[in-house]
Amino acid sequence: MTAELSPIDKAKYAAARKSVDFVENGMKLGLGTGSTAAWMVRCLAERIRNEGLKVTGVATSSRTADLARELGVPIVGMDDVKWLDLTIDGADEFDPNLNLIKGGGAALLQEKIVATASDRMIVIADAAKEVAQLGAFPLPVEVVPFGWRTTMALIEETLYSLDVLNREVALRMDESRPLKTDEGNFILDLNLRRIGNPRQLALVLNQIPGVVENGLFIDICDIVVIGNGDGRVTVRDINSGRVEDGSVDLAQSANIFADLGE
């Protein structure tokens, strides 16, 4: 299996594999959305199967919930648990302060609700997601469908007063129609190239009528696990300042799908 994985998939697997080491018996977990998070769900399912690990999961999207149930990871609703011990999720970008851009998978609203209702958030990512300054990845903003063109115009006008390099805003499409989130909302992608003040931008965007939530995660992430294609992993804890280097056995990924009946 590892021979069939691209270097980027090996890096995602390495980060995901390391992240589930933080999971302890009896935890209530937030399970993220996206390709890296999908690896994490598979690694978590393997621990449940092989070690008898007991956890309760809250999924951040219907896609993650479907995958988790398929693999035997128990899933409940957010209101059933109210608070979580740990959330593990991916990111589209992260900066040195572990501020994030998320929402490439159109699940940013549920992801932010789950992450902020957790004692800790761990982000898993390949090394390419690390940036000196946020903004190269388009910033997703979830908006209600009613009056979305007006909301987009208000966002475009607001951007002129903010420290960004570019101000292009586009409606995210699903083939020939607007993409809809699990909540039935639309996504506007802001191609800003550089975000000078992420905290200010996040606050201002959420004041615009029609905006439900934005993809800037500020002061939410506690730990980032960075994976590399050769199996090396780096764990950074923003609270303690610790940086730990290690590695995972990439050969284990050869058995993940077979062991889980995939």
Side-chain angles (χ1 to χ4, degrees):
M1 169 61 80
T2 51
E4 300 173 6
L5 294 180
S6 67
I8 193 72
D9 282 331
K10 291 178 181 179
K12 292 176 180 181
Y13 169 78
R17 168 66 69 177
K18 180 64 177 179
S19 73
V20 298
D21 289 347
F22 289 86
V23 177
E24 299 176 5
N25 203 50
M27 275 189 166
K28 293 175 287 186
L29 301 173
L31 306 179
T33 295
S35 58
T36 312
W39 276 112
M40 176 272 297
V41 173
R42 293 182 182 279
C43 292
L44 179 63
E46 189 181 44
R47 283 197 63 191
I48 291 172
R49 178 175 179 269
N50 293 342
E51 303 173 23
L53 184 71
K54 303 294 184 182
V55 297
T56 301
V58 173
T60 55
S61 68
S62 57
R63 284 165 290 157
T64 296
D66 290 344
L67 176 64
R69 291 190 181 104
E70 178 185 347
L71 299 178
V73 180
I75 296 294
V76 299
M78 186 68 224
D79 290 333
D80 295 322
V81 295
K82 299 181 181 177
W83 197 260
L84 301 167
D85 299 296
L86 176 66
T87 286
I88 305 176
D89 203 349
D92 299 301
E93 284 186 347
F94 67 92
D95 71 10
N97 296 315
L98 301 196
N99 295 317
L100 320 171
I101 286 181
K102 289 180 52 57
L108 65 98
L109 178 58
Q110 290 189 26
E111 288 173 334
K112 190 173 282 190
I113 291 172
V114 168
T116 55
S118 302
D119 288 337
R120 289 193 300 171
M121 180 190 190
I122 295 176
V123 160
I124 48 178
D126 58 90
K129 301 296 175 56
E130 182 174 10
V131 296
Q133 193 169 38
L134 298 177
F137 190 91
L139 173 65
V141 177
E142 187 161 341
V143 301
V144 296
F146 177 81
W148 71 267
R149 292 184 185 276
T150 300
T151 303
M152 183 167 71
L154 289 170
I155 290 173
E156 290 171 333
E157 181 180 350
T158 300
L159 290 175
Y160 278 95
S161 64
L162 297 171
D163 184 10
V164 295
L165 186 61
N166 195 54
R167 298 175 181 85
E168 294 178 8
V169 182
L171 176 67
R172 191 181 301 183
M173 303 296 289
D174 182 8
E175 296 182 352
S176 62
R177 63 185 63 187
L179 180 145
K180 285 194 173 184
T181 68
D182 280 354
E183 291 76 32
N185 296 319
F186 292 170
I187 296 286
L188 298 177
D189 288 313
L190 281 53
N191 184 10
L192 307 176
R193 298 186 186 172
R194 178 184 58 78
I195 300 173
N197 190 332
R199 187 184 306 277
Q200 179 191 41
L201 178 59
L203 291 172
V204 170
L205 285 173
N206 279 9
Q207 296 302 311
I208 296 174
V211 170
V212 179
E213 189 53 84
N214 69 82
L216 286 166
F217 283 50
I218 310 297
D219 297 336
I220 296 176
C221 176
D222 299 285
I223 294 172
V224 63
V225 181
I226 306 166
N228 294 275
D230 59 1
R232 289 180 297 112
V233 291
T234 299
V235 179
R236 296 181 191 166
D237 187 322
I238 192 69
N239 299 310
S240 69
R242 289 198 308 270
V243 178
E244 299 178 3
D245 294 315
S247 64
V248 302
D249 182 5
L250 291 177
Q252 293 182 62
S253 68
N255 300 320
I256 265 196
F257 296 95
D259 287 350
L260 297 172
E262 294 281 307

